[in-house]
């Protein structure tokens, strides 16, 4: 049974009757453009075929009652008044309700069943999937117009201010605006999106190191301030506004650490735009090289990789069917992503599994991913 069928049948058992709506919002993998979103730069994520699903029907008493199949628990809260109790996944739901209310929308309550298959804490944005599925649910039954970029900004605010994680806009934006069959080039300043289909006969393979990120929040915040400091030095709003030529002209005046942080962001923006061109031309070889260069820059200049990620990327890059591979997401653990010739995927997966296990004694999780739509209303 698909997850969609499972949430529907669970709903029927619990609430006596079919759900009025079923919504879905995906996780994501980023092909290139890492740690650029909070510098107003460019990213190239795709929404993946792993998602959060909610089956729901409206209630008329302003309550939200939700059963989670993954955690086997029922929770409820009143839209009239609710607080942050640090209660895990539910805070993403409440945070979304809070931010929509704060934006002036009148929300209706609902009964729901929620389930997901985005691996948690792997760097595939399971939290954005819950936020956007919640937003899509509220939009289905309340007076909230579905405008992906507007909703993505609100979801980012929920994560920043309610959950307390300072993230950029990428994860929420791709979970809101993804398009089936294509990655998206996103300008994180204007939120303009451009379809960027994968080169012909290639597959995107997500390689989970089975290591989880420790201290990632503090390291992430530290990187953000270093980038802001570099932007101040160049007298611009964000590093997005510094060209490679401007950077090189004045790089000698920066201390070594700030110089390397800025160099990563500035070159990564260029690589992401070059990747969009390569994808337009269907050029897997160039795209793969750009991904490899991105990893080197994240490892050496931005210093957000880890031994496990480096081993995984080395294993992937060592296979003849691999065009390129890099760490993906915030870093320090979680997943790498590889672009692989479609007819060599099986052999690639077997090779990486064995190579990574030998190098680290860890068992990786490997997913071949398809680009899917962003948050959507599937029934109702
Ligand atoms: C995390 C954040 C994103 C982005 C990436 C790094 O996934 O949530 O906003 O900054 O790290 O590219």
């Amino acid at each position: 049974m698909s997850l969609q069928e499972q949430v529907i049948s669970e709903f029927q058992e619990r609430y006596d009757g079919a759900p009025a709506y079923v919504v879905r919002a995906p996780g994501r993998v980023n092909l290139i453009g890492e740690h650029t979103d909070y510098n107003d730069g460019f990213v190239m994520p795709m929404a993946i075929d792993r998602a959060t699903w909610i089956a729901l029907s409206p209630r008329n008493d302003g309550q939200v009652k939700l059963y989670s199949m993954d955690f086997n628990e029922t929770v409820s809260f009143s839209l009239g008044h609710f607080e942050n109790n640090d209660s895990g996944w539910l805070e993403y739901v409440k945070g979304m309700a809070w931010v929509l209310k704060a934006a002036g929308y009148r929300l209706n309550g609902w009964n729901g069943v929620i389930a997901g298959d985005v691996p948690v804490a792997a760097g595939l944005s399971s939290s954005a999937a819950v936020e956007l599925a919640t937003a899509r649910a509220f939009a289905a039954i309340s007076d909230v117009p579905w405008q992906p970029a507007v909703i993505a900004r609100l979801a980012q605010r929920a994560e920043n201010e309610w959950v307390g994680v300072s993230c950029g806009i990428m994860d929420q934006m791709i979970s809101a605006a993804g398009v089936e069959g294509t990655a998206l080039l996103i300008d994180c300043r204007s939120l303009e999106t451009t379809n960027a289909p994968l080169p012909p006969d290639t597959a995107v393979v997500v390689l989970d190191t089975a290591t989880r990120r420790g201290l990632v929040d503090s390291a992430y915040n530290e990187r953000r301030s270093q980038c802001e400091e570099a932007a101040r030095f160049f007298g611009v709003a964000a590093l997005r506004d510094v060209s490679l030529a401007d950077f090189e002209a004045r790089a000698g005046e920066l201390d070594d650490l700030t110089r390397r942080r800025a160099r990563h962001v500035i070159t990564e923006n260029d690589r992401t735009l070059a990747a969009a061109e390569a994808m337009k031309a269907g050029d897997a070889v160039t795209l793969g090289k750009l991904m490899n260069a991105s990893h080197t820059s994240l490892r050496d200049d931005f210093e957000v990789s880890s031994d496990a990620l480096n081993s995984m990327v080395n294993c992937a890059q060592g296979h003849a069917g691999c065009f390129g591979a890099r760490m993906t997401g915030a870093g320090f653990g979680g997943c790498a992503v590889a672009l692989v010739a479609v007819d060599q995927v099986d052999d690639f997966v077997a090779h990486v599994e064995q190579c990574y296990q030998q190098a680290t004694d860890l068992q990786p999780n490997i997913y071949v991913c398809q680009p899917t739509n962003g948050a959507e209303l599937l029934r109702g």
Side-chain angles (χ1 to χ4, degrees), residues 321-334:
C322 178
F323 292 104
R326 54 183 287 276
M327 56 151 278
T328 185
F332 302 100

Side-chain angles (χ1 to χ4, degrees), residues 6-21 54-59 63-69 73-77 89 109-114:
Q6 287 179 45
V7 289
I8 292 172
S9 104
E10 188 71 37
F11 186 98
Q12 274 162 337
E13 269 174 41
R14 288 186 175 263
Y15 302 107
D16 216 18
Y21 304 101
I54 302 176
L56 70 148
S57 286
R59 300 172 57 120
Q63 299 279 322
V64 173
K65 183 174 169 199
L66 190 53
Y67 171 70
S68 161
M69 293 177 64
E73 62 178 343
T74 302
V75 291
S76 54
F77 63 96
W89 65 273
W110 39 280
N111 287 329
V113 169
I114 185 169

Side-chain angles (χ1 to χ4, degrees), residues 297-314:
S297 177
L298 287 157
R299 184 191 63 202
D300 299 343
D301 274 352
F302 216 61
E303 295 179 288
V304 291
S305 191
S306 68
D307 290 346
L309 281 167
N310 294 337
S311 294
M312 187 68 96
V313 166
N314 286 340

